[in-house]
Amino acid sequence: MKPVKVGLLGLGTVGTGVVRIVEAHQEDLQGQVGSPITIEKVLVQNKSKSRNISISSDKLTEDPWEVIRHPEIDVIVEVMGGIGQTKEYILEALSLGKHVVTANKDLMALHGPEILAKAKEHSCDVLYEASVAGGIPIIRTLVEGFSSDRITKIMGIVNGTTNYILTKMSQEGAAYADVLKEAQALGYAEADPTSDVEGLDAARKMTILATLGFHTNVNLEDVSAEGISSVSKDDILYAKRLGYELKLLGIAERQDDLISISVQPTMVKHSHPIASVNGVFNAVYVYGEAVGETMFYGAGAGELPTATSIVADLVAVVKNLKLGVNGKHSGIAFKETRLKTDEQISSKYFLLLHVADRAGVLARITQVFADAEVSLESVLQQPNPTNPEAEIIIITHDASKAAIQKVLGTFDSLDVVHKVKSVYRVEG
Amino acid sequence: MKPVKVGLLGLGTVGTGVVRIVEAHQEDLQGQVGSPITIEKVLVQNKSKSRNISISSDKLTEDPWEVIRHPEIDVIVEVMGGIGQTKEYILEALSLGKHVVTANKDLMALHGPEILAKAKEHSCDVLYEASVAGGIPIIRTLVEGFSSDRITKIMGIVNGTTNYILTKMSQEGAAYADVLKEAQALGYAEADPTSDVEGLDAARKMTILATLGFHTNVNLEDVSAEGISSVSKDDILYAKRLGYELKLLGIAERQDDLISISVQPTMVKHSHPIASVNGVFNAVYVYGEAVGETMFYGAGAGELPTATSIVADLVAVVKNLKLGVNGKHSGIAFKETRLKTDEQISSKYFLLLHVADRAGVLARITQVFADAEVSLESVLQQPNPTNPEAEIIIITHDASKAAIQKVLGTFDSLDVVHKVKSVYRVEG
């Protein structure tokens, strides 16, 4: 049987994992697709660098075009990352009729529609399971498993770095800056952690999930993103006391044909299954009208989990190749994207206020909520241990984002409210 | 566009759900497969029975062959249940070139290989996502999502009735018989609950999961099944005190090419994600060599979750129909089934013994473990509150099933051991 030949762009952690899995599971893979799968050419930055896998040196090249334009290569696996140059490589590969498997969330979040259109034009597959939540087959699940359902909500812990930090802060009562330093030392956070801790990485992944779940092209700028860098250990302590865990959640919602997508630190009720997803693990909670609650849990990153998803995509491409049906399975968007306004986005909110400790203050504050037509689920007033003022914790019923912004605007000019210490969305 | 015509065998809860979803989501379904999907004929037991969905009465029939042999029907959806007669219907449908979607775990567990072989012969699809864990797309995940990985362990809470009972016993300290009665009153347990509470239903589902996960034909008789009817509230209390939840787990394991499959009440460490799956929810935990730990959580039963899985299978069949590639995607087993012996099956065990309360007893008992080469992780001796004897709780390190049986055999003839109160497998 003629082997299927693969060109690999990048031989870092994930690329090495792909080579390892393809070699170690060759027999199983052949059993599934009926022919061998071989890695034919690999793009590396430096051919002479020593590596901890054995790969014949004539398979390595520093010239990307040697891989992309290789006449015998059927499938390009892209694990080099990056956006501008990488997009050019992928578009060229597609125009030469080569199928593409990529783990590149940035590329798919920013240029997904353009790449998928090019793929369709040349009857090529572009699969990208590994771009979201590493080893969890969530894209396949959204596209195929829930094909008959109407998904109305997707909530994801899709960034392992921030979940590790929040878990440590919660379990050890540690401060954000200390845990971040520790995470950097362990390699769980990058030297410049901005993309992770400010929620940008999660926003890119939610762009991909919402596009697939809602059958509509979501743009990265449609996602409102807020990170965890201003979360304090007190916030987490209060959350726990009230029966919540603080998690960085990506939330995509659909009501009729209006959608909203956001990433923000969120108070999640302990009883909700996503509240107990800890450490570097990822989880995606999906609510479908028919199926109800489901959740998918697993490793969000790492050499082998990510490589597993890539090789599963590779198997899918090869099956399609054998059947001659490439380029027909993509989840192309068929609905217009219509975003909710701030008046239409609704959730519960948690607010922690520092206020003047004198008679009548609570009445004035609750009147502000009443004026904005926000009703309250619970109110807790207590002395502030560190200041001669009171703390008020409020959890609202469902309220629009616009109404909460109106409340916060009024607090700005209210002398009895010294500080709005924290505002969090509440789920579960 | 020519509609795809579906024949439905059965119009009970799940069948009604299928009709509802196909109607409600017609537009979405067309967007995905490019043509309408219509329910053409429905087999019912009594045409004149009143129903809570509106379906034209000339679509209903009491004659199964009118559906199965209908010349225009492309796909048969089987939701009538049963084994002997139903198998005959399905084989006939396949031999007429009709594709089959079924939710019938009993049929697939007992006659899966025969049905899949017939399907292959006639280039037909047989899909059965709904047969295991209702709304969780676990079959698709095993077959496609983890196609590149080597799955070494599958642990499932795949029976909602028993999980509901154990959850209630754990949360309320209630006795088995009382909770069973309550579950029957709520419709969560059947009047004759044997199949659920004795682990047979779970064993059938594990047969299907192990066959797919390990690429080998597992027979129902390969599964050793033990139910929950002898679990006492004390057992659950002791489990909790030691940091465990008692769950009815299906466990399928593979080491090299040796497999073992069992269903039994199991002590699961609190920190393990499957320990917090409560109520009627199902979850399947999958361990892959590359992907590591993953878990899939959702509704295990119910009209709409089950119907969602069926319609997702229907969509897959229709996509294949459009592409002309039916009958080629099945996960046909390609490995020989080799079962582990009791010497090769290994796990930790929990034992609760009632023993004579006098000097030297613990020494004699621990000697029995030493003689069987079973080493102990923890030993706790305490007075028995209800009897003038002592209770000993032992948790072993990994030990073979044969060694534990040897220990239990020796205890039988040891006068200081009055009773082996409980023996449970331990996970996590």
Side-chain angles (χ1 to χ4, degrees):
Chain A
M1 287 161 300
K2 196 168 152 279
V4 172
K5 294 188 177 172
V6 175
L8 191 59
L9 301 179
L11 193 57
T13 317
V14 176
T16 306
V18 171
V19 174
R20 284 224 175 92
I21 292 181
V22 169
E23 277 173 8
H25 294 191
Q26 190 57 237
E27 191 197 343
D28 271 7
L29 293 174
Q30 278 201 45
Q32 291 176 65
V33 300
S35 64
I37 295 177
T38 62
I39 309 278
E40 191 67 18
K41 273 281 172 199
V42 183
L43 172 67
V44 293
Q45 284 186 322
N46 178 357
K47 273 187 71 166
S48 48
K49 189 181 149 188
S50 81
R51 305 178 187 280
N52 53 8
I53 46 162
S54 70
I55 187 160
S56 138
S57 75
D58 57 339
K59 290 196 168 181
L60 303 182
T61 174
E62 294 173 15
D63 175 11
W65 304 111
E66 229 187 290
V67 184
I68 294 158
R69 296 182 178 147
H70 192 295
E72 287 174 25
I73 283 178
D74 308 289
V75 189
I76 297 289
V77 172
E78 186 272 304
V79 286
M80 59 187 284
I83 297 176
Q85 187 88 76
T86 311
K87 181 181 142 197
E88 196 190 323
Y89 297 162
I90 285 182
L91 290 177
E92 170 76 3
L94 291 170
S95 70
L96 293 168
K98 299 186 193 308
H99 311 288
V100 172
V101 174
T102 174
N104 195 326
K105 64 181 172 295
D106 303 337
L107 189 63
M108 291 310 294
L110 290 168
H111 304 293
E114 183 184 349
I115 289 170
L116 292 172
K118 176 70 102 178
K120 202 179 171 198
E121 186 189 330
H122 295 275
S123 295
C124 288
D125 288 339
V126 173
L127 298 181
Y128 46 102
E129 182 65 77
S131 66
V132 181
I136 309 174
I138 184 64
I139 289 181
R140 191 163 270 111
T141 300
L142 287 179
V143 173
E144 293 169 25
F146 295 142
S147 57
S148 70
D149 202 354
R150 189 171 291 147
I151 294 170
T152 54
K153 190 167 192 174
I154 303 172
M155 292 204 295
I157 293 180
V158 289
N159 179 276
T161 305
T162 47
N163 201 47
Y164 174 85
I165 292 173
L166 292 175
T167 302
K168 275 276 178 176
M169 288 175 73
S170 170
Q171 289 176 348
E172 298 172 7
Y176 169 76
D178 298 336
V179 182
L180 173 60
K181 243 179 250 164
E182 194 191 320
Q184 285 170 320
L186 287 165
Y188 293 160
E190 296 184 44
D192 175 3
T194 314
S195 164
D196 290 322
V197 302
E198 297 307 341
L200 306 177
D201 174 83
R204 290 182 189 131
K205 291 164 179 168
M206 291 309 296
T207 303
I208 295 173
L209 293 181
T211 295
L212 293 169
F214 300 156
H215 307 297
T216 183
N217 282 328
V218 174
N219 297 309
L220 186 53
E221 52 269 35
D222 298 337
V223 185
S224 81
E226 185 195 330
I228 64 164
S229 57
S230 58
V231 169
S232 74
K233 56 183 181 180
D234 282 352
D235 292 340
I236 290 181
L237 202 72
Y238 283 124
K240 282 171 95 83
R241 210 180 285 163
L242 295 165
Y244 295 88
E245 286 291 335
L246 198 65
K247 295 289 183 191
L248 184 69
L249 288 194
I251 302 179
E253 290 177 295
R254 164 160 72 164
Q255 240 172 346
D256 304 317
D257 279 330
L258 288 175
I259 62 171
S260 67
I261 311 111
S262 61
V263 171
Q264 65 275 301
T266 305
M267 301 263 186
V268 188
K269 257 229 159 96
H270 272 137
S271 54
H272 193 285
I274 212 166
S276 49
V277 173
N278 288 323
V280 293
F281 278 93
N282 282 14
V284 181
Y285 170 97
V286 179
Y287 192 92
E289 277 182 2
V291 80
E293 295 188 288
T294 60
M295 193 176 84
F296 306 90
Y297 166 94
E303 174 189 325
L304 289 178
T306 307
T308 301
S309 285
I310 289 171
V311 181
D313 275 353
L314 192 54
V315 166
V317 170
V318 176
K319 281 185 179 170
N320 289 344
L321 257 176
K322 298 266 152 180
L323 300 167
V325 297
N326 301 92
K328 293 178 185 162
H329 283 285
S330 326
I332 300 276
F334 57 84
K335 283 195 178 157
E336 198 196 340
T337 308
R338 289 171 56 212
L339 293 176
K340 284 189 184 182
T341 63
D342 284 355
E343 283 73 28
Q344 292 167 319
I345 296 173
S346 163
S347 78
K348 293 183 176 192
Y349 284 88
F350 163 103
L351 295 96
L352 171 57
L353 312 175
H354 287 185
V355 302
D357 194 0
R358 60 171 193 259
V361 169
L362 190 56
R364 283 185 64 188
I365 286 168
T366 51
Q367 188 59 45
V368 173
F369 285 97
D371 290 345
E373 291 184 27
V374 174
S375 67
L376 305 181
E377 180 184 293
S378 59
V379 178
L380 173 70
Q381 177 170 349
Q382 58 187 20
N384 182 339
T386 53
N387 279 307
E389 54 188 3
E391 284 184 347
I392 294 181
I393 294 168
I394 288 167
I395 294 181
T396 71
H397 284 299
D398 276 339
S400 75
K401 194 172 169 183
I404 293 296
Q405 279 160 349
K406 187 177 165 202
V407 167
L408 295 175
T410 313
F411 284 164
D412 257 356
S413 56
L414 209 63
D415 63 341
V416 297
V417 176
H418 297 169
K419 193 176 178 184
V420 177
K421 183 73 178 37
S422 320
V423 181
Y424 293 112
R425 183 171 172 145
V426 175
E427 287 289 332
Chain B
M1 288 161 296
K2 195 168 151 278
V4 172
K5 294 187 177 173
V6 175
L8 191 59
L9 301 179
L11 193 57
T13 317
V14 175
T16 306
V18 171
V19 174
R20 283 222 176 94
I21 292 182
V22 169
E23 277 173 10
H25 295 192
Q26 190 57 237
E27 189 199 343
D28 270 8
L29 293 173
Q30 278 200 46
Q32 291 176 67
V33 300
S35 64
I37 296 177
T38 61
I39 309 279
E40 192 67 18
K41 272 281 171 199
V42 183
L43 173 67
V44 294
Q45 285 185 323
N46 178 356
K47 273 187 71 165
S48 48
K49 189 179 148 188
S50 81
R51 306 179 187 279
N52 53 9
I53 47 164
S54 71
I55 186 161
S56 136
S57 74
D58 58 339
K59 290 195 168 182
L60 303 182
T61 174
E62 293 173 15
D63 175 9
W65 304 112
E66 228 187 293
V67 184
I68 295 158
R69 294 181 178 147
H70 192 295
E72 288 174 26
I73 282 177
D74 309 288
V75 190
I76 297 290
V77 172
E78 185 273 301
V79 286
M80 59 188 283
I83 297 175
Q85 187 88 77
T86 311
K87 181 180 140 195
E88 196 190 320
Y89 296 162
I90 285 182
L91 291 177
E92 171 75 3
L94 291 170
S95 70
L96 292 169
K98 299 186 193 308
H99 311 287
V100 172
V101 174
T102 174
N104 196 325
K105 63 180 172 297
D106 303 337
L107 189 63
M108 291 310 293
L110 291 168
H111 304 294
E114 183 184 346
I115 289 171
L116 293 173
K118 175 70 100 182
K120 203 180 171 195
E121 188 189 329
H122 295 274
S123 296
C124 289
D125 288 340
V126 174
L127 298 181
Y128 47 103
E129 182 66 75
S131 67
V132 181
I136 310 175
I138 184 64
I139 289 181
R140 191 163 269 110
T141 300
L142 286 179
V143 172
E144 294 169 25
F146 295 143
S147 57
S148 70
D149 202 353
R150 190 171 290 146
I151 293 168
T152 54
K153 190 167 192 173
I154 303 172
M155 294 204 294
I157 294 180
V158 288
N159 180 275
T161 305
T162 47
N163 201 48
Y164 174 84
I165 293 172
L166 292 176
T167 301
K168 276 275 179 178
M169 288 174 74
S170 169
Q171 289 177 349
E172 298 172 6
Y176 169 77
D178 298 334
V179 182
L180 174 59
K181 241 178 255 166
E182 193 191 321
Q184 285 170 321
L186 287 167
Y188 291 159
E190 296 184 40
D192 175 2
T194 314
S195 164
D196 290 322
V197 302
E198 297 307 342
L200 306 176
D201 174 81
R204 290 182 189 130
K205 291 165 177 167
M206 291 309 296
T207 304
I208 295 173
L209 294 181
T211 295
L212 293 169
F214 300 157
H215 307 297
T216 183
N217 282 329
V218 173
N219 297 309
L220 186 53
E221 51 269 36
D222 298 337
V223 185
S224 82
E226 186 195 329
I228 64 163
S229 56
S230 58
V231 170
S232 73
K233 57 182 180 181
D234 283 353
D235 292 340
I236 291 181
L237 203 70
Y238 282 124
K240 281 171 96 82
R241 210 181 285 162
L242 294 164
Y244 295 87
E245 286 291 335
L246 198 65
K247 294 290 181 190
L248 185 70
L249 287 195
I251 302 179
E253 290 177 296
R254 163 160 73 164
Q255 240 171 347
D256 304 318
D257 278 330
L258 288 174
I259 63 170
S260 68
I261 311 111
S262 61
V263 171
Q264 66 275 299
T266 306
M267 300 261 187
V268 188
K269 255 227 161 104
H270 272 138
S271 55
H272 193 286
I274 212 165
S276 49
V277 174
N278 288 324
V280 294
F281 277 93
N282 282 14
V284 181
Y285 170 97
V286 179
Y287 192 92
E289 278 182 1
V291 79
E293 295 187 287
T294 60
M295 193 175 84
F296 307 91
Y297 166 96
E303 173 188 327
L304 289 178
T306 308
T308 301
S309 285
I310 289 172
V311 182
D313 276 352
L314 191 55
V315 167
V317 170
V318 176
K319 280 185 180 170
N320 289 345
L321 257 176
K322 297 266 152 181
L323 301 167
V325 298
N326 301 92
K328 291 177 186 165
H329 283 285
S330 327
I332 301 277
F334 56 84
K335 285 196 175 152
E336 199 196 340
T337 307
R338 290 171 55 211
L339 292 176
K340 283 188 183 182
T341 63
D342 284 354
E343 283 73 27
Q344 293 166 319
I345 296 174
S346 164
S347 77
K348 293 182 176 193
Y349 284 89
F350 164 103
L351 295 97
L352 171 57
L353 311 175
H354 288 185
V355 301
D357 193 1
R358 60 172 193 261
V361 169
L362 191 56
R364 284 186 63 189
I365 285 169
T366 50
Q367 189 58 45
V368 173
F369 285 98
D371 291 344
E373 291 185 24
V374 174
S375 66
L376 305 181
E377 180 183 293
S378 60
V379 178
L380 173 71
Q381 179 171 347
Q382 58 186 22
N384 183 337
T386 53
N387 279 308
E389 54 188 1
E391 284 184 345
I392 295 180
I393 294 167
I394 287 167
I395 294 180
T396 71
H397 284 297
D398 276 339
S400 76
K401 194 173 171 184
I404 293 297
Q405 279 160 349
K406 189 177 164 202
V407 166
L408 295 174
T410 312
F411 284 164
D412 258 355
S413 56
L414 208 65
D415 63 342
V416 298
V417 176
H418 297 170
K419 193 177 176 183
V420 177
K421 184 71 176 40
S422 318
V423 182
Y424 292 112
R425 183 171 172 145
V426 175
E427 286 289 333

